[in-house]
Amino acid sequence: MAIEKIGVIGAGQMGNGIAHVFALAGYDVLLNDISRDALDKAVSLIDRNMERQVSRDKITADEKNAAMARITTTLNLTDLGQSDLVIEAATERETVKQAIFEDLLPHLKPETILTSNTSSISITRLASRTDRPEKFMGFHFMNPVPVMQLVELIRGIATDQATYTALHDVVEKLGKTAASAEDFPAFIVNRILMPMINEAVYTLYEGVGSVKSIDESLKLGANHPMGPLELADFIGLDTCLAIMNVLHDGLADTKYRPCPLLTKYVEAGWLGRKTGRGFYDYRGETPVPTR
């Protein structure tokens, strides 16, 4: 099946980036969210991000205008029914994702491929709640989507080869690189990355180092572009905690126990950049460590 029309569910950090790269690659994109304000902000952000690409000679003004013209928005989930490929990029909660697929299923074409951008939840389990587990896959983009080269492709136990091949071809058309991961908690990137971030939080919690010293140590001592606590703020501490809980519950190993300090920050609503405070306070001109 030729994949031309893309439905993206969720206009947040990941959804708007996914819409951006698909539109630039020549696909027609229908972006859905439950909030008109979220959709308007997403389109405005995509426009600004593409304008930045124009200013850096990554794309031409004509390419930007053509891509923006390929993006439409809707508050009505059922409008995505005619898509060839649906990418769910809603909040990282399994019950939310299941409810979205349940509402969408009656309106889909029989050949539509369903995917989730989940960073940790079982693809096999999500697929089992749909009418097409053989046409369901994990399609995990990295943040920020327009910049990051990797896409994790995760097959559920029932995913057929045609679906995998179709999505692999899509990744190539986007100009990105596919990495195949087995359907185990957090897949490859977050299986390795999140315990590192969690360990950095433990290092802070136990007083081994301050926020500044921990981040500087990894940037200058391990050549990481961002320190682990800075990166956690960028990802969102609620997302980090959710993934650690998936790892802890799914693998039943105490080495994945979320640090109590991470839980405390999330309970406080200090989720990182998106709320103005996390391990750093972003409300002034420059970020200031909160511990």
Side-chain angles (χ1 to χ4, degrees):
M1 184 191 73
I3 295 176
E4 295 170 354
K5 295 180 181 177
I6 311 297
V8 179
I9 302 167
Q13 200 172 32
M14 297 304 295
N16 77 66
I18 291 167
H20 175 141
V21 298
F22 271 92
L24 265 184
Y27 294 97
D28 293 323
V29 179
L30 181 57
L31 182 59
N32 163 261
D33 201 279
I34 55 173
S35 158
R36 170 50 60 190
D37 185 47
L39 288 171
D40 292 343
K41 282 181 179 174
V43 172
S44 176
L45 182 60
I46 293 167
D47 189 89
R48 288 200 306 275
N49 287 341
M50 284 194 191
E51 192 55 46
R52 190 179 298 120
Q53 288 179 297
V54 172
S55 70
R56 294 174 179 172
D57 295 324
K58 302 280 188 186
I59 61 173
T60 67
D62 285 347
E63 285 171 334
K64 178 211 161 183
N65 294 334
M68 289 304 300
R70 292 187 196 105
I71 300 172
T72 52
T73 63
T74 181
L75 291 168
N76 187 359
L77 183 66
T78 59
D79 290 346
L80 274 62
Q82 291 307 300
S83 304
D84 302 317
L85 167 63
V86 172
I87 304 163
E88 172 275 313
T91 190
E92 189 69 356
R93 288 211 305 274
E94 189 165 350
T95 52
V96 172
K97 295 178 186 298
Q98 285 174 346
I100 287 168
F101 289 128
E102 198 171 293
D103 290 346
L104 182 60
L105 285 173
H107 308 280
L108 290 176
K109 300 187 295 183
E111 64 270 24
T112 298
I113 294 174
L114 278 181
T115 67
S116 176
N117 184 59
T118 179
S119 49
S120 60
I121 296 168
S122 167
I123 299 304
T124 296
R125 200 162 60 235
L126 286 174
S128 72
R129 302 290 292 269
T130 74
D131 63 353
R132 60 195 68 204
E134 71 287 348
K135 290 185 178 298
F136 193 106
M137 271 189 68
F139 205 29
H140 182 214
F141 289 81
M142 306 295 130
N143 185 36
V145 181
V147 176
M148 301 296 277
Q149 275 297 109
L150 186 74
V151 183
E152 282 184 315
L153 295 181
I154 306 103
R155 277 181 273 211
I157 198 168
T159 307
D160 64 26
Q161 184 59 37
T163 300
Y164 174 83
T165 302
L167 289 188
H168 198 283
D169 290 347
V170 167
V171 174
E172 286 192 347
K173 190 173 175 186
L174 295 176
K176 297 191 181 293
T177 301
S180 298
E182 292 301 314
D183 185 24
F184 289 97
F187 319 129
I188 295 172
V189 173
N190 283 315
R191 170 79 176 259
I192 298 166
L193 177 64
M194 285 303 156
M196 185 198 77
I197 287 175
N198 195 51
E199 196 61 30
V201 183
Y202 266 115
T203 307
L204 179 66
Y205 176 61
E206 293 168 4
V208 180
S210 65
V211 168
K212 187 171 184 286
S213 62
I214 292 166
D215 277 352
E216 281 193 344
S217 293
L218 269 293
K219 282 194 283 190
L220 302 179
N223 208 26
H224 290 193
M226 293 172 79
L229 301 175
E230 184 186 2
L231 180 57
D233 276 357
F234 180 74
I235 294 166
L237 303 193
D238 52 339
T239 301
C240 293
L241 179 60
I243 296 170
M244 285 309 302
N245 280 325
V246 167
L247 279 166
H248 192 229
D249 295 344
L251 297 172
D253 192 324
T254 55
K255 73 180 179 180
Y256 299 115
R257 182 171 69 97
C259 179
L261 184 60
L262 178 60
T263 303
K264 190 66 66 183
Y265 268 74
V266 173
E267 287 173 346
W270 292 18
L271 308 181
R273 287 192 191 186
K274 62 187 173 186
T275 58
R277 274 188 292 190
F279 292 112
Y280 293 85
D281 189 326
Y282 299 91
R283 295 173 298 172
E285 283 189 24
T286 56
V288 178
T290 54
R291 284 179 92 82

